[in-house]
Amino acid sequence: MSMKLLLIAGSARNGALSVKLRDAARAVADAAGAQTSVLDLRALALPLYDGDIEAAQGVPAAAGTLRDAIREHDAIVIVTPEYNGFPTPLVINAFDWLSRLKDGIAATTDKPVALLSSSPGALGGLRALNVLRQYLQMAFQMLVVPQQQAVSKAHEAFAADGTLADAKGAAMLTGVINAVLKLAAQRRR
Ligand SMILES: Cc1cc2nc3c(=O)[nH]c(=O)nc-3n(C[C@H](O)[C@H](O)[C@H](O)COP(=O)(O)O)c2cc1C
């Protein structure tokens, strides 16, 4: 049975390292037989969360797009950059809006998710990963798999074909993706 996997990058800029890692993760999942899709958080064009916007206009429809995408997939992969030790506002703001939908948390509850990060720095965004893990587990009831990967020196980590050049790093990425697909398959049974 083929698992449906949604991959989300926490940066949308041209040449984003997190998009490269998202695409490398997608290739691994495709090779494992998953049906993969990506969701571009920038394309949702969600305003910065503001209670006055919510009171006047309700939750933007784009938050429902994120909710529906999560609902329609068996598992999620989120690749976040690290801004000052934290996941990016692009990720947090989208999930904050989702949490304001009455059925938002129902869509995330018990959903398997794997976390990746990338940075030109030496820690690869590890601090942001751990914050994101806590946020998604506590507030969104997501099943964050223990396996995770912070790709350091990410500006020089990718081979020309988009894979992780370092064999150990590539094996670790396969391990993370296999872990979330396995959990998703166990939950589907
Ligand atoms: C506001 C800001 C804060 C940053 N803080 C960190 C940090 O705490 N740790 C880190 O490793 N890199 C940090 N960086 C560097 C990012 O890792 C780097 O810009 C990275 O390429 C961003 O991800 P992207 O390529 O996916 O857009 C920061 C960058 C910005 C713009």
Side-chain angles (χ1 to χ4, degrees), residues 87-111:
T88 54
L90 191 63
V91 174
I92 298 298
N93 187 57
F95 276 84
D96 280 348
W97 271 120
L98 174 122
S99 75
R100 304 299 294 168
L101 290 168
K102 67 173 173 23
D103 49 3
I105 302 298
T108 57
T109 296
D110 293 341
K111 186 69 67 172

Side-chain angles (χ1 to χ4, degrees), residues 9-20 79-86 88 118-127:
S11 169
R13 73 179 181 90
N14 285 331
L17 297 168
S18 49
V19 170
K20 289 185 181 170
V79 187
T80 188
E82 177 173 274
Y83 286 175
N84 299 309
F86 219 72
T88 54
S118 49
S119 160
L123 295 180
L126 182 64
R127 296 174 303 166

Side-chain angles (χ1 to χ4, degrees), residues 148-170:
Q148 63 180 25
Q149 184 174 12
V151 176
S152 58
K153 297 191 176 21
H155 57 301
E156 43 194 47
F158 296 94
D161 65 358
T163 60
L164 283 175
D166 172 59
K168 260 195 192 162

